[in-house]
Amino acid sequence: MNRQSNTYTIIYSIILVVVVGLALSIVYQALRPKQVENIDNDTKRQILAAALITPENGESVAELYSEYITDSYIVNTKGEKVDSDIDPFSVNVADQVKEADMEKRLLPVFVCNLSGKSDTEDTTGDNVKYIIPVYGAGLWGPIWGYVAMDANGENIYGAYFAHQGETPGLGAEIEKPAFSDQFQGKDIFSKDGAFQSIMIVKNAPDPLPDNEVHAISGGTITSQGVQKMLSNSLEPYTAFFKSLKK
């Protein structure tokens, strides 16, 4: 075949595209399991972070998760466990939060026992925490996180927040302990038992009420996003939280 002809050029290009595409597909399939594992481990790290569990040097996130997360399930807005084959870990929280009808939402719950699985009989003590995923919108993109509730279903034990593209030094500060640590001990119910979530306030003097934390300086819109995220994500769990108190 004439290598200077258009036909040769077209055939050569087609073969090259097919070979390169096949090679990339093989590489992708080979690396995919590791990519999925890394994504899952990052999610597990975030869940543990809400319960104030941080891997030390050399510790495996997967092993810590297996040790401290003793159970997980899905509940509905009535606080009842849902009989479902869906793994709570695989629930797309972003899609669930966007569901306008709260009764249709799948609400994952991750049960953490700070004593580890060696003490799984303790289901009501101080060592048991219930971790809830939250998802919302910041200034430049999605924000998300996890909130760990005490066994009484009223007080926040710990929180973890992350973002996709908030401004460094401003809105991005939601991922820093200086912000998330404020939520420890805060109450999501008013004295009359009504759900009230957490208010994020600017320029308020200390001490703050039991349901308020300080906003991020210069990160007003992101702070408002966190407030809306918590309200929208936690409110459907109201009945579940109250069932814990009972």
Side-chain angles (χ1 to χ4, degrees):
M1 182 180 292
N2 183 4
R3 294 189 178 184
Q4 303 302 321
S5 67
N6 291 336
T7 302
Y8 177 85
T9 302
I10 292 173
I11 294 175
Y12 180 83
S13 299
I14 292 174
I15 294 175
L16 183 61
V17 169
V18 171
V19 171
V20 172
L22 182 60
L24 290 176
S25 176
I26 293 173
V27 171
Y28 173 79
Q29 293 299 328
L31 295 179
R32 181 58 180 167
K34 189 62 178 180
Q35 292 174 339
V36 172
E37 180 184 353
N38 289 338
I39 293 173
D40 287 351
N41 282 339
D42 186 57
T43 301
K44 292 175 181 179
R45 177 188 61 80
Q46 295 179 29
I47 293 173
L48 292 172
L52 309 183
I53 300 172
T54 303
E56 301 293 339
N57 291 335
E59 286 188 314
S60 166
V61 171
E63 291 178 359
L64 284 177
Y65 184 88
S66 178
E67 178 181 358
Y68 289 105
I69 304 303
T70 57
D71 196 7
S72 63
Y73 44 81
I74 295 173
V75 299
N76 56 26
T77 54
K78 297 179 182 179
E80 304 165 336
K81 289 185 180 180
V82 176
D83 186 12
S84 173
D85 293 331
I86 300 175
D87 181 1
F89 190 83
S90 66
V91 171
N92 189 320
V93 181
D95 289 343
Q96 299 305 315
V97 169
K98 294 173 185 176
E99 174 59 62
D101 187 352
M102 290 188 182
E103 293 185 0
K104 294 182 180 180
R105 294 186 188 180
L106 299 176
L107 308 174
V109 177
F110 300 92
V111 183
C112 176
N113 191 324
L114 299 181
S115 297
K117 290 189 175 180
S118 60
D119 193 18
T120 52
E121 293 183 359
D122 178 9
T123 59
T124 59
D126 292 339
N127 286 325
V128 178
K129 313 300 174 187
Y130 296 88
I131 304 173
I132 308 301
V134 296
Y135 188 94
L139 174 60
W140 301 114
I143 55 178
W144 64 90
Y146 293 89
V147 175
M149 302 297 300
D150 278 327
N152 61 15
E154 294 182 351
N155 304 107
I156 294 177
Y157 176 74
Y160 172 88
F161 303 112
H163 65 92
Q164 179 173 294
E166 299 306 288
T167 308
L170 299 175
E173 295 298 299
I174 64 170
E175 67 181 358
K176 300 295 180 62
F179 178 71
S180 59
D181 286 353
Q182 296 183 87
F183 290 81
Q184 297 176 22
K186 293 297 180 178
D187 197 335
I188 64 170
F189 289 97
S190 61
K191 292 182 179 179
D192 62 2
F195 174 79
Q196 63 180 357
S197 192
I198 303 296
M199 303 295 294
I200 301 179
V201 298
K202 293 179 60 178
N203 304 320
D206 288 321
L208 293 177
D210 289 341
N211 72 315
E212 294 184 3
V213 300
H214 289 291
I216 298 168
S217 178
T220 302
I221 296 179
T222 305
S223 297
Q224 292 173 348
V226 173
Q227 178 175 302
K228 293 178 181 178
M229 171 178 71
L230 292 174
S231 178
N232 187 33
S233 299
L234 296 180
E235 185 176 6
Y237 288 90
T238 299
F240 173 72
F241 293 146
K242 289 186 176 181
S243 71
L244 298 178
K245 183 177 180 180
K246 293 178 182 179

